[in-house]
Amino acid sequence: MRIVIAGGHGQIALRLERLLAARGDEVAGIIRRAEQGDDLRAAGAEPVLCDLESASVEEVAAHLQGADAAVFAAGAGPGSGVARKSTVDRGAAVLFANAAERAGVRRHVVVSSMGADPAHPGDDVFDAYLRAKGEADEYVRGRTGLDWTILRPGSLIDDAGTGLVRLEASTGRGAIPRDDVAAALAELVDTPATAGLTLELISGSTPISVAVKSVAGN
């Protein structure tokens, strides 16, 4: 498969790129800064320079041409303010979905966040983040040209992955190593039977491949 990842230099994206490249997929990661390219090459991915905050749908669609799947893993990051939650966590996600639809890339996986909700109350930056992610998820769910799956991990940690998770429509609060999020994404990209599902992910007792097959109805 050829898989294009938005936010290609993110912590989860780099892990995902390594996993996909190791299994023989062709991987491209969209990045904003050229100096990030070496990290992607080291992970086995092709760096694609494109700023999702300023690019047009046509520009992004050109990068998606010929892909079998698209993964949105971009984020404004913890040090950003309210404005970038809107332009990246919402705006770039909407742009990427539109571009995938324009390019005819049906398989579309989104890394969202547990608690994402367009009606989330509050005035803190994290409240704005959850609203932005919720608005983006709602938009993606309305795209009839996409076979979308939305993954909402719990609290992200840097512990080594265990390969054991709980993956359900609603899991309750919990933590999840970034390693395991990436591994779950790799399985989801490969499992189009999960299209139309919004799933929460935390650490648990079920092997990732089994968990994905279970939600896919296999």
Side-chain angles (χ1 to χ4, degrees):
M1 294 174 71
R2 176 171 171 80
I3 299 155
V4 178
I5 301 170
H9 195 255
Q11 294 186 65
I12 290 171
L14 286 167
R15 288 167 166 83
L16 176 59
E17 286 154 7
R18 283 191 286 270
L19 290 174
L20 295 174
R23 76 182 192 189
D25 288 325
E26 182 184 340
V27 192
I30 295 176
I31 54 175
R32 280 195 309 132
R33 297 197 295 273
E35 61 267 25
Q36 297 170 333
D38 286 345
D39 290 336
L40 270 73
R41 293 184 193 96
E46 167 202 344
V48 174
L49 196 59
C50 179
D51 187 344
L52 295 176
E53 287 182 90
S54 59
S56 68
V57 172
E58 290 75 18
E59 288 172 313
V60 181
H63 295 307
L64 284 161
Q65 287 294 335
D68 299 293
V71 178
F72 184 81
S80 58
V82 170
R84 294 200 70 228
K85 303 307 181 191
S86 177
T87 57
V88 179
D89 293 294
R90 182 194 176 280
V94 168
L95 173 72
F96 196 61
N98 287 338
E101 208 167 22
R102 180 79 57 92
V105 183
R106 291 201 63 93
R107 188 72 185 117
H108 195 83
V109 179
V110 175
V111 183
S112 183
S113 175
M114 190 175 289
D117 180 353
H120 181 82
D123 300 320
D124 291 342
V125 172
F126 191 67
D127 298 323
Y129 167 75
L130 291 176
R131 280 194 296 274
K133 296 297 279 185
E135 289 166 2
D137 291 354
E138 192 172 75
Y139 185 84
V140 169
R141 285 194 289 249
R143 310 322 303 157
T144 56
L146 299 178
D147 296 328
W148 54 265
T149 302
I150 294 170
L151 184 66
R152 292 177 166 176
S155 301
L156 298 171
I157 56 175
D158 286 326
D159 295 6
T162 65
L164 300 173
V165 300
R166 184 175 174 191
L167 178 70
E168 299 169 16
S170 179
T171 61
R173 295 280 171 184
I176 181 81
R178 288 179 171 87
D179 288 350
D180 288 336
V181 177
L185 288 167
E187 288 281 344
L188 288 169
V189 164
D190 233 8
T191 312
T194 59
L197 299 179
T198 300
L199 301 164
E200 294 184 350
L201 178 72
I202 58 173
S203 291
S205 57
T206 305
I208 289 168
S209 61
V210 175
V212 171
K213 287 183 175 70
S214 177
V215 295
N218 298 331

